[in-house]
Amino acid sequence: MSAQFQGPQFQGLSLELEFPQSVALYDKYADAQKAVDFLADNRFPVENLAIVGTELKLVERVTGRKSWGTVIGSSALSGVSTGLLVGIVLALFTQGNFLLMLLVAIAIAVVISIIFGGLAYSMSGGKRDFNSVRTTVPSKYEILSEHKVAAQAREELAKLPGARAQAFE
């Protein structure tokens, strides 16, 4: 049974490595990218490598206070986009005044969106009275290699300018 780094597949490209071994660990993605670029420049078979973000952290950036005004405004904006989409679809498949159909669809969607947005906000009981954006970011970047070329990759990376100094940090 082979141990594999299971990754997604994109257009037939597999992100799996058989028996992956750690070759190097970097604090910044740019440094990991520089290391792989160095290996590529030195004719190393880079198709046997993967850069993997590790030690994941959830970062939530608070963007503002939530109030009735912001809830109604964002709900109305959401309703406009939904109504525009529904209005265009209706206009494509029915006969009649295109502009009138579009405006009625937008108006109905805005009202419904404001009602549901306001209802959700009132039921929240004051919890999460702020807007935010979330993202997941890695703290480290590890270069993994197929087991058959891992030692060669480590040897080549030892020749990378500054590699000896980095070993003593």
Side-chain angles (χ1 to χ4, degrees):
M1 188 161 117
S2 69
Q4 294 182 340
F5 165 70
Q6 296 293 324
Q9 297 208 359
F10 299 100
Q11 298 175 356
L13 174 67
S14 173
L15 299 181
E16 297 179 1
L17 295 176
E18 282 197 35
F19 303 108
Q21 292 185 358
S22 181
V23 173
L25 187 64
Y26 297 94
D27 291 330
K28 297 178 188 166
Y29 177 77
D31 294 338
Q33 186 178 7
K34 180 181 172 185
V36 173
D37 191 40
F38 175 80
L39 290 171
D41 291 345
N42 288 291
R43 307 284 186 239
F44 182 84
V46 292
E47 61 275 6
N48 294 299
L49 300 175
I51 300 174
V52 179
T54 62
E55 298 181 24
L56 302 178
K57 293 181 180 181
L58 174 69
V59 178
E60 183 173 13
R61 173 72 167 101
V62 177
T63 58
R65 183 182 311 273
K66 195 181 283 188
S67 66
W68 277 106
T70 60
V71 168
I72 290 170
S74 65
S75 295
L77 192 58
S78 174
V80 168
S81 62
T82 303
L84 191 60
L85 179 66
V86 170
I88 290 171
V89 170
L90 278 175
L92 289 174
F93 295 109
T94 60
Q95 292 185 0
N97 187 344
F98 173 76
L99 186 59
L100 180 64
M101 217 178 299
L102 191 63
L103 291 175
V104 169
I106 290 172
I108 291 171
V110 166
V111 169
I112 291 172
S113 184
I114 288 173
I115 290 170
F116 281 107
L119 190 60
Y121 180 63
S122 67
M123 292 176 63
S124 70
K127 293 183 180 162
R128 285 204 53 95
D129 272 350
F130 59 91
N131 296 316
S132 63
V133 178
R134 292 182 190 178
T135 188
T136 302
V137 294
S139 298
K140 304 274 184 197
Y141 297 90
E142 185 172 19
I143 298 178
L144 297 178
S145 171
E146 295 269 349
H147 69 287
K148 59 190 173 206
V149 292
Q152 180 188 355
R154 285 188 204 102
E155 289 172 16
E156 286 295 322
L157 285 176
K159 300 173 189 171
L160 182 67
R164 289 184 55 177
Q166 187 179 11
F168 294 106
E169 290 180 357

